[in-house]
Amino acid sequence: MQQAILISKDQIDILSEHAKKASPNESCAILFGKIEKDHYMVKDVFLTMNIENSPVNFTISNDELIKGYQEAEKRKLDVVGIFHSHPDSEAYPSVTDQKFMEINPVPWVIFSNKSEQFRAYIFESKVEPFDLHVE
Ligand SMILES: [Zn+2]
């Protein structure tokens, strides 16, 4: 059972930069990597557009989702996480996020532009905090 998601400082910097550029709207990305026995290992981030252009919601277009999954497959990587940012609130999943987390039970990484903090969550019968290790 995976207990944590491991991500590099460089990847964290790419994601926070992406979030700052998208502000005041939410930003989003797909995290590619390997599902190991006891953790998820992020190998690359696939930056996507938030087609909702919204400060409180995000949607990745079907085209980009397909492109993302094809790219992952080509590189023999798995989708190990979903990233999005909260420009004006804490890094805690909204009611909408929780609904989508149940459908996508991979780690969800949320960045708060407000507090500049990253947090991870996962759906395991309910939404739970998940260990995010930056290395
Ligand atoms: Zn959210």
Side-chain angles (χ1 to χ4, degrees), residues 26 56 58 84-86 92-94 97 110:
E26 291 195 2
V56 291
F58 77 98
H84 77 286
S85 61
H86 285 177
Y92 185 80
S94 67
D97 292 338
I110 305 176

Side-chain angles (χ1 to χ4, degrees), residues 9-78:
K9 178 72 174 68
D10 284 354
Q11 289 156 348
I12 283 287
D13 290 345
I14 291 167
L15 292 172
S16 61
E17 197 57 33
H18 181 54
K20 284 170 191 168
K21 273 188 197 148
S23 178
N25 293 329
E26 291 195 2
S27 62
C28 43
I30 304 169
L31 308 178
F32 291 160
K34 291 281 183 194
I35 303 172
E36 305 289 357
K37 203 173 71 171
D38 60 354
H39 64 273
Y40 296 88
M41 165 73 83
V42 179
K43 298 271 191 193
D44 205 0
V45 300
F46 183 77
L47 301 180
T48 56
M49 279 179 39
N50 175 9
I51 57 169
E52 285 195 59
N53 288 321
S54 159
V56 291
N57 276 307
F58 77 98
T59 301
I60 300 172
S61 74
N62 279 332
D63 281 358
E64 271 196 314
L65 272 180
I66 293 165
K67 220 174 95 188
Y69 276 88
Q70 282 173 343
E71 183 68 23
E73 200 183 331
K74 204 164 74 188
R75 298 167 56 184
K76 298 192 168 26
L77 296 174
D78 301 304

Side-chain angles (χ1 to χ4, degrees), residues 16 19-20 83-86 91 109-113 116-118:
S16 61
K20 284 170 191 168
F83 166 82
H84 77 286
S85 61
H86 285 177
V109 177
I110 305 176
F111 173 72
S112 164
N113 298 50
E116 302 217 338
Q117 274 191 321
F118 279 86

Side-chain angles (χ1 to χ4, degrees), residues 2-5 40 107 119-122 124 128-132:
Q2 294 79 19
Q3 308 289 345
I5 178 164
Y40 296 88
R119 291 190 192 285
Y121 302 87
I122 198 162
E124 286 170 351
E128 308 259 17
F130 198 65
D131 274 342
L132 177 77

Side-chain angles (χ1 to χ4, degrees), residues 88-103:
D88 201 32
S89 64
E90 294 305 322
Y92 185 80
S94 67
V95 173
T96 311
D97 292 338
Q98 297 192 32
K99 200 176 73 191
F100 284 102
M101 288 180 70
E102 192 169 347
I103 307 167

